[in-house]
Amino acid sequence: TRPAKNVMVDFDSGALREVLDRITRQPLSEVYDFIDTIDHPRLWALFAEKALEMLDFGIADKAFVRCSDYRGIQFVKQVQQLKDQQIQKAEIAAYFEHFDEAVEIYREMDRRDLAVQLKQRMGDWFQVVALIQSGSGDDEVLRQARNRIGDFYRTRQKWDK
């Protein structure tokens, strides 16, 4: 039998702990050289994420190349073209599936329209309706969201909703 998840403990490897520690204390170029000596794809992926969070697109691009993450490379190119740093941060948060953080960044910027677009991309139609009712979006988007919610309930045969 399998042990229960509550009795299992995750331990970071020594190299992972060392990389996380170096990211907070050293310039990213030095951390890059350190990871290059270890050369593990998981470390490169972690490093790419941290570099993106720091908005260092050059280092992030190199790290995505090293872990063979083509989607990540394309994302770096796309987010670099955005002019506003806050929008870049929100898109990076959304890329790493920190959706609530991304929506909060958009709200702080008073760009609820971008929050609505993010929720539309995610398919979170309930939140799209909530955001529109709080004062952003248009009637067409609201109609589309309500139709999608109707489809959600129809596929589950919940006719009374």
Side-chain angles (χ1 to χ4, degrees):
T1 64
R2 285 186 162 194
K5 288 191 180 221
N6 62 347
V7 298
M8 297 182 71
V9 179
D10 287 334
F11 286 104
D12 295 337
S13 70
L16 180 60
R17 284 192 307 270
E18 180 72 20
V19 167
L20 289 172
D21 183 50
R22 284 178 183 242
I23 286 173
T24 60
R25 310 185 274 112
Q26 295 178 338
L28 291 181
S29 58
E30 291 180 19
V31 179
Y32 182 91
D33 294 337
F34 174 74
I35 296 174
D36 195 27
T37 62
I38 300 169
D39 199 30
H40 191 279
R42 178 68 186 110
L43 293 177
W44 286 116
L46 172 75
F47 184 59
E49 180 177 351
K50 296 299 182 185
L52 268 179
E53 287 174 1
M54 295 177 178
L55 301 179
D56 191 334
F57 300 116
I59 294 285
D61 187 50
K62 289 179 186 178
F64 278 127
V65 168
R66 296 299 298 264
C67 66
S68 303
D69 185 347
Y70 182 73
R71 182 174 164 251
I73 297 167
Q74 292 303 314
F75 176 73
V76 169
K77 290 177 183 177
Q78 174 191 358
V79 85
Q80 266 182 308
Q81 294 175 355
L82 300 172
K83 300 297 181 215
D84 190 325
Q85 244 187 14
Q86 289 300 97
I87 293 176
Q88 288 175 337
K89 287 181 181 181
E91 289 298 316
I92 290 167
Y95 180 78
F96 290 112
E97 298 180 3
H98 305 290
F99 301 115
D100 293 335
E101 179 183 335
V103 169
E104 188 58 36
I105 292 170
Y106 286 139
R107 282 185 179 171
E108 289 173 2
M109 296 174 55
D110 199 28
R111 292 295 309 264
R112 292 179 190 265
D113 59 318
L114 295 176
V116 168
Q117 287 177 5
L118 174 63
K119 290 297 185 175
Q120 282 180 294
R121 286 190 315 219
M122 292 172 49
D124 188 353
W125 300 105
F126 294 98
Q127 282 297 311
V128 169
V129 169
L131 285 168
I132 290 173
Q133 289 175 341
S134 72
S136 59
D138 59 18
D139 291 339
E140 180 59 31
V141 175
L142 182 61
R143 185 188 63 74
Q144 179 188 18
R146 286 186 173 153
N147 283 339
R148 297 293 176 113
I149 290 171
D151 292 342
F152 171 82
Y153 285 122
R154 181 182 48 83
T155 58
R156 287 158 182 77
Q157 297 183 0
K158 296 189 176 186
W159 306 112
D160 56 336
K161 302 273 182 179

